[in-house]
Amino acid sequence: MADARVGVIGATGAVGEVTRRLLRERGYENVRLFASARSAGRRLDGVVVEEATPEALAAGDLDLALFSVGTSASRELVPHAVRGGASVVDKSSAYRLEPGIPLVVPEVNGARALENDGIVANPNCCTIPLTCVLKPLHDAAGLASVRVSTYQSVSGAGAQRMEQLRAEAVDDHDLRMDWTWDGDETDEESKIRAEARKILELPELAISATTVRVPVLIGHAESVWVELEEPLTPEQADAILRDAPSVQVVEVPTPGDAAKTQDVLVGRIRADRASSNGLVLFLACDNLVKGAALNAIQIAELLLAAVATK
């Protein structure tokens, strides 16, 4: 798999930087970097950045294309990469809810990645860790409803926002809800609901989210209230989550600790005192790693493995 011809589109951004590092760590050597015209010509990791044009992406010399650009750019460029024969993993919201395009968290619904026509969508950076935790609980006791509040770092808004936070006086730090509003909720909140339903294959799951931006550089955290169909004690949930892939049970998860691991950290697992059959838990995840770049690479490796076995 390491000899696959890989293109990283959006290579100069926050997620692109992590993608480049993870590809190096995993032994990929045939990697090309693409970005906008203003970044073309830069040298990163000893590689000259190319401009991401339709012609370059459709040339037919990529096996995989990992996109970490905005929604509009993905809609414009992804079809050209597919036309050139590449398998695309797109990290934007452009294709996540499109019928027929798999939305994949490998630990949850990895087999769906193979049911693609050239595009696999990478979920939202909060939906990925959430579904990693919800799936084993659902398998054990069934999900009746989910409520979640997120505490999302500024890196989720890009490298420029990270620089703004670094330059900001501590007294100016504040909580924000800086997404686009769709009626009485943000588009981020509706994304979490719709994407979790698609990934878990529970289209009627009652799920409500409140999303908040916090003055933290890297790492998203989530408070989760789960109503179950069958009784499940906190001790049983703890044991189930300890066996779940890419999940690490800790006493108190924090974004700072999550930024040092590729796992979803989960803890504070306890009975919900406001529910007769519920649990409360807290999770944290590096939104640039498992919440974005690593999940996409894991999807890509599922696709490469399938090709290798044909």
Side-chain angles (χ1 to χ4, degrees):
M1 291 194 298
D3 60 352
R5 301 171 300 172
V6 181
V8 180
I9 297 87
T12 59
V15 175
E17 180 180 353
V18 176
T19 301
R20 293 177 357 238
R21 173 174 63 80
L22 291 175
L23 288 171
R24 290 196 305 272
E25 291 174 355
R26 294 166 100 86
Y28 291 89
E29 297 179 351
N30 193 357
V31 178
R32 292 168 62 190
L33 308 181
F34 297 86
S36 64
R38 74 174 175 275
S39 295
R42 292 176 57 186
R43 183 174 289 273
L44 296 172
D45 310 327
V47 178
V48 176
V49 176
E50 304 173 53
E51 183 179 355
T53 64
E55 295 75 19
L57 297 174
D61 47 12
L62 292 174
D63 300 311
L64 285 169
L66 303 176
F67 276 76
S68 53
V69 296
T71 297
S72 60
S74 280
R75 287 191 175 128
E76 176 190 355
L77 295 173
V78 163
H80 296 287
V82 174
R83 181 163 56 88
S87 294
V88 170
V89 182
D90 181 58
K91 302 183 186 71
S92 79
S93 62
Y95 298 99
R96 290 175 185 161
L97 300 179
E98 286 293 317
I101 294 181
L103 180 67
V104 175
V105 177
E107 297 86 348
V108 178
N109 64 337
R112 292 295 186 196
L114 307 184
E115 302 171 4
N116 74 83
D117 290 322
I119 305 170
V120 181
N122 199 59
N124 179 280
C125 49
C126 281
T127 309
I128 291 170
L130 179 64
T131 54
C132 282
V133 169
L134 291 181
K135 173 62 172 172
L137 298 178
H138 174 66
D139 289 345
L143 292 174
S145 67
V146 177
R147 295 173 178 83
V148 56
S149 288
T150 73
Y151 314 94
Q152 298 177 227
S153 65
V154 297
S155 58
Q160 186 175 2
R161 283 293 300 277
M162 295 173 72
E163 291 306 315
Q164 288 175 355
L165 181 65
R166 289 188 179 103
E168 187 178 88
V170 173
D171 289 346
D172 292 332
H173 290 348
D174 201 356
L175 304 183
R176 309 185 194 280
M177 298 184 185
D178 56 4
W179 294 273
T180 301
W181 288 85
D182 181 14
D184 62 354
E185 65 179 4
T186 68
D187 64 343
E188 186 83 350
E189 291 159 354
S190 61
K191 283 178 191 175
I192 291 172
R193 177 174 55 254
E195 292 180 23
R197 285 173 168 175
K198 183 173 180 178
I199 294 163
L200 295 168
E201 300 185 12
L202 297 171
E204 302 302 321
L205 178 64
I207 179 167
S208 179
T210 299
T211 57
V212 179
R213 187 83 65 195
V214 297
V216 171
L217 272 175
I218 296 174
H220 292 353
E222 306 179 38
S223 290
V224 186
W225 295 259
V226 181
E227 185 84 24
L228 299 163
E229 294 177 346
E230 302 291 337
L232 195 68
T233 67
E235 293 75 20
Q236 290 170 323
D238 183 290
I240 289 165
L241 292 171
R242 286 182 186 275
D243 288 337
S246 298
V247 174
Q248 184 182 153
V249 178
V250 299
E251 187 172 352
V252 180
T254 67
D257 289 337
K260 302 170 186 174
T261 177
Q262 296 184 359
D263 291 332
V264 179
L265 305 186
V266 61
R268 300 213 60 213
I269 304 166
R270 59 202 189 277
D272 184 353
R273 290 172 171 81
S275 169
S276 60
N277 205 32
L279 295 171
V280 185
L281 55 88
F282 195 80
L283 66 84
C285 175
D286 188 320
N287 55 294
L288 301 180
V289 181
K290 181 54 183 167
L294 176 60
N295 196 80
I297 292 172
Q298 289 172 319
I299 293 170
E301 289 177 343
L302 290 175
L303 302 177
L304 290 173
V307 171
T309 57
K310 286 183 179 179

